[in-house]
Amino acid sequence: MSDDLHPTVDPTKMGLGCSIAVLTSGGDAQGMNAAVRATVRVGLYTGAKVFFVHEGYQGLVDGGDNIHPATWESVSMMLQLGGTVIGSARSKDFRTREGRMKAAGHLVKLGITNLCVIGGDGSLTGANEFRAEWSGLLVDLVQAGTITKAEAKTSSHLNIVGMVGSIDNDFCGTDMTIGTDSALHRIIEVVDAITTTAQRSDIICIKKGECVLFTHCFFLFNHQRTFILEVMGRHCGYLALVTALSCGADWVFIPEMPPDEDWENHLCRRLADQRARGSRLNVIIVAEGAISRDGMPITSDQIKKLVTDRLGFDTRITVLGHVQRGGTPSAFDRILGSRMGVEAVMALLEANPDTPACVVSLSGNQAVRLPLMECVQVTKDVTAAMAEGRFEDAIKLRGKSFENNWNTYKLLAHINPPDVKSNINVAIMNIGAPCAGMNAAVRSAVRMGIIQGHSMLAVHDGFDGLAHGQIEPITWVSVTGWTGKGGSMLGTKRTLPGKLLEEISQNIAKFNIHALVIIGGFEAYVGGLELVQAREKYEELCIPMVVIPATVSNNVPGSDFSIGADTALNTITATCDRIKQSAAGTKRRVFIVETMGGYCGYLSTMAGLAAGADAAYIFEEKFGIKDLELLVQILLDNSTTICQFSFYNRNENANANYTTDFIFNLYSEEGKGVFDCRKNVLGHMQQGGTPTPFDRNFGTKMGAKTVLWLTEKLKDCYRHGRIFANTPDSACVLGMRKRALHFQPLSELKGDTDLEHRIPKTQWWLKIRPIMKILAKYDIKLDTSEHTDMEHVKKRSPLGK
């Protein structure tokens, strides 16, 4: 989407004469409020009337005050709230035809012919049934005298669009449902808390004023324990699976793929092997719906008894329960809900009587529309496949995202290192500023390399360390517990290799390095490019290499996402929430928040959308004094409304002259006597903290995929008894592009790179900026020229023949 108006459609008039109702149904999920807010505001933006339906389908049946108009201000201060502010309920009345007749009558009387339902598969199936029998309900209502023939004619058809709100991520057709990411945040917080009592620790000794670090030692008071963590997921193991990947669990039990026969002995052997390798901690993740091959439940108590009786390990069970539904929504869920809400309104207003009910879904980073009942059917197919013992089909039916997670978990957790070594040495290094998730990628790459039979080498302090020989073997146990650690355990520097090529080439030869994994930000990309360009002079650099993007700035060419950006985004969003909360006790206050990102406005824009900022100033979108004056005037005009505060995000390098201090001084001067102004420069706190579930999982999959690719590439490059790689496709960036991970040659990405400003020339998230502006009540035009066509989920499933 862009700010330009499509010549044939005025989006601000698309909804004239239309009415939209929005409801939340079934179990609540964090992020539902973001979806409600976006539906209301975009609906009003298009000129439509928008109605709240309180208490889900029960509110539709009861009518009255449960259905009332929504205003722009009525959805303010909703983004940071968990649950759903318009209420949710499981309605027995709506399941009867009589109840649905009452609901239809209430909608007809209000002229509502567009219904947006946010809920799980049961709620969306109910919506589709309601739509299918709509004509018959109108006939009965006319015969009963509840509505007139004219009213029935005006409301002759009902459009339905669904958004899936479910923390279990149990709806097929979408990579993520609203609430899943937030639930993972709650789970990982608990995992981090309970596992610290048994983690390997370093001992710091103080001797004669010097601090000496002894690694691989144990605190004597740390316990050796096995933790069994039970998470939600009666029919879907997504939460358990991603948790297992994100914390490096030893075992996971999910309903889609029960363990093989004799799993009890296998589990005990694995736990014992981990202890023998020096691990003080075993973690087992159990989905509440876990089953055995014969369909019998596998419970946490059963697993505890097994481990205690067979191994004698001190074993503890933690059952999380409804804590997973609680808390403030993550930045991802707020953005997901907002994007889905926008797409839902567009789908409703573009629909006609022949358009099937659709569900708005996420595929990669793309919002897509899928036929609702196809998704429901595939979801049922998963249950059928599990009941019939077709577990491989069940995994595939869950979708590519679920399948990729499962395959990565299997590779990292269930395959023992081979007895025969490959005689390949793979070096791993971190480059640029540290960020959360780097260590997860290193751990995954190290273990995947060991599984492939390679010897893994750790390079400390980036290219400096590679040039000065700071290289040592890194083992399976060395990276235990790294998924949850922030920063860079290997050490990292911003130094580029250009002036160190002689020393680097010598050490590559000295340590017999056959492949290189470079994890970092823009410096990693530029450093990799310099190594490739130096291949003609230094033959030692003719080895396969991969750059894994890892930076809070999300500015590496070739990838829509970088490891670390999600953690930084959540840090900014949480800080903005606190700022908004502090303003609740004051009146007429303006906050200016400066974010990191260099010249890349990703953090500022996405944090603005997640936190509900009134504006986000970025380098990529030029602004001048007239824009700033306009916003000052808006603040002055709105000073008497119920909105008593505003806040603005500014990317640190948005403009060399219109700095954060300049904007602060301007607003302070012009707002005297009307509003106060405050500024917050968040600084390096955005680089710190423990990684989010997304960054842990993303880093884990990126590291594993990189080593598998290098293994195959090394086979291709083996010539005359040695490794020789000098083709462009032997040095790549591994990045997420729309819907999948791709390896792209470093040299080919150079044309799409603004090297001066350290950003890609094409950035997908710029298309989201108009959404942020519309939700902040900017007077702009949404580009409706790029329609999202209806796709078919069955084409992607093994049963969709």
Side-chain angles (χ1 to χ4, degrees):
M1 298 177 183
S2 70
D3 295 347
D4 297 324
L5 175 64
H6 185 247
T8 60
V9 180
D10 184 346
T12 61
K13 294 182 172 58
M14 284 179 66
L16 291 177
C18 298
S19 294
I20 301 171
V22 57
L23 64 85
T24 53
S25 176
D28 62 306
Q30 309 97 315
M32 281 183 166
N33 290 323
V36 171
R37 173 179 177 266
T39 302
V40 169
R41 290 195 168 180
V42 176
L44 294 173
Y45 164 82
T46 65
K49 293 181 180 178
V50 185
F51 291 82
F52 287 135
V53 179
H54 289 271
E55 310 308 327
Y57 285 121
Q58 193 60 48
L60 272 188
V61 174
D62 295 339
D65 291 339
N66 288 304
I67 308 175
H68 64 86
T71 65
W72 195 274
E73 289 76 17
S74 64
V75 291
S76 295
M77 297 297 290
M78 286 176 63
L79 277 170
Q80 69 272 27
L81 301 179
T84 165
V85 298
I86 60 174
S88 180
R90 290 180 169 89
S91 173
K92 292 182 179 179
D93 292 337
F94 190 76
R95 295 177 184 176
T96 67
R97 184 175 175 82
E98 181 184 359
R100 292 192 292 274
M101 274 187 63
K102 290 180 180 179
H106 294 141
L107 292 179
V108 170
K109 287 295 184 182
L110 291 169
I112 298 171
T113 56
N114 298 282
L115 185 61
C116 181
V117 178
I118 308 168
D121 60 341
S123 301
L124 300 184
T125 301
N128 189 70
E129 184 179 351
F130 189 40
R131 178 183 183 273
E133 64 179 3
W134 181 259
S135 298
L137 294 174
L138 295 191
V139 171
D140 291 348
L141 287 168
V142 170
Q143 289 178 349
T146 306
I147 64 173
T148 66
K149 289 184 178 180
E151 288 173 327
K153 184 177 181 180
T154 303
S155 303
S156 59
H157 70 276
L158 178 69
N159 295 321
I160 295 285
V161 169
M163 289 180 271
V164 190
S166 167
I167 68 165
D168 293 338
N169 202 33
D170 56 357
F171 192 81
C172 293
T174 183
D175 290 347
M176 288 284 274
T177 57
I178 296 170
T180 303
D181 188 67
S182 299
L184 286 169
H185 275 249
R186 303 293 90 76
I187 295 169
I188 291 300
E189 287 169 6
V190 173
V191 171
D192 287 348
I194 66 175
T195 56
T196 52
T197 64
Q199 285 281 20
R200 166 171 296 193
S201 303
D202 294 332
I203 295 179
I204 299 178
C205 291
I206 306 297
K207 184 177 180 181
K208 295 182 179 179
E210 297 179 354
C211 180
V212 184
L213 183 67
F214 294 88
T215 59
H216 308 310
C217 297
F218 301 118
F219 280 124
L220 297 178
F221 52 80
N222 273 19
H223 299 286
Q224 295 189 36
R225 282 181 176 157
T226 297
F227 286 104
I228 301 171
L229 187 73
E230 183 177 309
V231 301
M232 284 185 169
R234 189 172 294 113
H235 305 294
C236 178
Y238 185 87
L239 289 178
L241 178 56
V242 175
T243 299
L245 278 174
S246 300
C247 71
D250 297 287
W251 200 283
V252 65
F253 292 91
I254 61 173
E256 290 88 350
M257 184 58 74
D260 294 331
E261 300 295 336
D262 195 36
W263 63 267
E264 294 91 344
N265 288 329
H266 187 185
L267 172 61
C268 289
R269 280 197 305 272
R270 178 160 186 78
L271 297 183
D273 287 346
Q274 289 295 88
R275 288 290 174 92
R277 288 174 178 166
S279 174
R280 302 180 61 80
L281 170 69
N282 299 122
V283 178
I284 301 169
I285 309 296
V286 186
E288 61 180 332
I291 57 173
S292 62
R293 289 273 164 175
D294 57 4
M296 298 301 293
I298 296 177
T299 67
S300 298
D301 289 331
Q302 176 186 349
I303 299 167
K304 178 181 178 181
K305 188 175 188 307
L306 171 69
V307 174
T308 303
D309 291 350
R310 294 268 193 98
L311 301 174
F313 290 175
D314 183 6
T315 306
R316 307 297 172 89
I317 296 175
T318 302
V319 180
L320 291 188
H322 279 72
V323 69
Q324 295 157 89
R325 291 191 185 278
T328 186
S330 66
F332 181 94
D333 273 328
R334 301 184 199 194
I335 294 167
L336 177 63
S338 299
R339 293 181 67 187
M340 284 187 171
V342 174
E343 193 62 41
V345 172
M346 294 297 113
L348 284 171
L349 298 181
E350 292 168 7
N352 58 57
D354 298 323
T355 304
C358 79
V359 59
V360 178
S361 302
L362 181 74
S363 179
N365 71 347
Q366 302 292 108
V368 298
R369 301 177 195 174
L370 299 170
L372 171 57
M373 292 317 295
E374 281 190 18
C375 296
V376 170
Q377 184 56 53
V378 176
T379 303
K380 291 179 178 178
D381 290 343
V382 175
T383 304
M386 290 161 56
E388 296 167 8
R390 295 183 289 108
F391 299 112
E392 292 292 342
D393 281 348
I395 293 287
K396 287 183 169 60
L397 283 163
R398 281 291 183 207
K400 277 292 182 185
S401 176
F402 192 100
E403 186 179 6
N404 289 339
N405 283 323
W406 174 250
N407 289 337
T408 304
Y409 165 74
K410 281 197 305 180
L411 286 169
L412 289 173
H414 275 203
I415 297 178
N416 292 319
D419 295 329
V420 179
K421 299 295 183 180
S422 67
N423 295 320
I424 293 293
N425 298 319
V426 179
I428 302 178
M429 59 198 303
N430 293 161
I431 307 297
C435 67
M438 273 184 164
N439 297 318
V442 172
R443 171 190 174 274
S444 173
V446 166
R447 292 197 168 179
M448 185 58 72
I450 292 171
I451 287 168
Q452 298 300 309
H454 309 325
S455 296
M456 306 303 292
L457 300 174
V459 180
H460 298 282
D461 295 337
F463 287 117
D464 272 348
L466 188 58
H468 299 130
Q470 295 173 241
I471 304 167
E472 64 179 2
I474 187 167
T475 65
W476 186 282
V477 175
S478 299
V479 294
T480 298
W482 279 28
T483 53
K485 295 184 181 295
S488 168
M489 298 294 288
L490 294 182
T492 181
K493 290 186 177 180
R494 295 180 181 271
T495 308
L496 292 173
K499 297 180 180 180
L500 303 169
L501 291 171
E502 184 74 35
E503 296 89 339
I504 287 174
S505 62
Q506 289 174 359
N507 277 323
I508 287 176
K510 177 181 176 181
F511 289 90
N512 201 22
I513 295 171
H514 301 107
L516 188 61
V517 180
I518 306 171
I519 303 171
F522 201 82
E523 290 90 352
Y525 164 74
V526 175
L529 200 58
E530 289 183 358
L531 294 181
V532 170
Q533 292 168 343
R535 279 175 168 177
E536 292 184 4
K537 184 176 180 181
Y538 300 98
E539 192 174 297
E540 294 84 357
L541 301 179
C542 293
I543 58 174
M545 57 186 77
V546 174
V547 172
I548 299 178
T551 167
V552 302
S553 301
N554 198 36
N555 63 335
V556 178
S559 189
D560 294 342
F561 296 105
S562 294
I563 298 167
D566 185 71
T567 303
L569 183 56
N570 276 277
T571 299
I572 298 167
T573 303
T575 304
C576 291
D577 285 349
R578 293 186 177 96
I579 289 171
K580 290 167 70 175
Q581 190 176 45
S582 74
T586 60
K587 292 185 178 181
R588 294 185 291 277
R589 181 160 287 178
V590 175
F591 291 91
I592 301 167
V593 179
E594 181 180 293
T595 63
M596 296 180 77
Y599 288 97
C600 180
Y602 175 83
L603 284 180
S604 183
T605 295
M606 301 307 268
L609 181 57
D614 294 275
Y617 301 115
I618 64 171
F619 169 78
E620 293 90 343
E621 190 174 281
K622 304 305 178 185
F623 63 95
I625 191 64
K626 291 184 178 179
D627 301 292
L628 298 175
E629 288 175 341
L630 177 62
L631 287 175
V632 170
Q633 190 58 50
I634 291 172
L635 288 170
L636 293 171
D637 293 343
N638 291 343
S639 62
T640 57
T641 68
I642 62 171
C643 181
Q644 297 294 332
F645 79 96
S646 300
F647 84 92
Y648 302 85
N649 282 350
R650 180 188 175 277
N651 170 241
E652 58 184 347
N653 289 339
N655 189 292
N657 296 310
Y658 300 131
T659 63
T660 300
D661 287 336
F662 177 91
I663 297 173
F664 167 72
N665 292 331
L666 174 67
Y667 285 11
S668 297
E669 179 65 27
E670 297 299 323
K672 282 183 178 177
V674 181
F675 58 80
D676 294 329
C677 192
R678 300 286 188 273
K679 66 177 178 179
N680 297 80
V681 179
L682 302 187
H684 282 75
M685 65 179 291
Q686 297 160 82
Q687 289 182 342
T690 58
T692 60
F694 179 91
D695 279 331
R696 299 183 196 204
N697 188 26
F698 192 42
T700 297
K701 287 192 285 191
M702 296 276 271
K705 193 174 183 70
T706 291
V707 172
L708 290 175
W709 183 86
L710 284 172
T711 301
E712 292 303 311
K713 187 60 67 174
L714 284 164
K715 294 176 184 177
D716 296 339
C717 299
Y718 187 77
R719 300 169 188 170
H720 309 297
R722 60 189 290 266
I723 302 296
F724 185 79
N726 66 345
T727 57
D729 65 353
S730 64
C732 293
V733 170
L734 173 58
M736 170 68 78
R737 284 294 202 185
K738 293 186 177 179
R739 301 187 184 186
L741 291 172
H742 296 283
F743 289 92
Q744 300 152 94
L746 283 158
S747 54
E748 291 182 8
L749 291 170
K750 190 175 180 181
D752 187 40
T753 306
D754 179 350
L755 289 168
E756 179 186 355
H757 297 106
R758 298 161 52 89
I759 55 175
K761 292 179 181 176
T762 305
Q763 301 187 86
W764 67 274
W765 52 266
L766 286 170
K767 295 182 178 180
I768 294 180
R769 282 186 62 81
I771 295 175
M772 183 200 72
K773 292 180 179 181
I774 288 169
L775 295 178
K777 212 171 184 178
Y778 271 60
D779 183 17
I780 67 164
K781 297 295 174 66
L782 191 65
D783 183 0
T784 58
S785 61
E786 293 185 18
H787 291 280
T788 304
D789 295 327
M790 191 87 78
E791 298 186 11
H792 294 279
V793 66
K794 285 205 167 189
K795 289 182 179 179
R796 296 180 286 181
S797 74
L799 301 184
K801 298 177 181 178

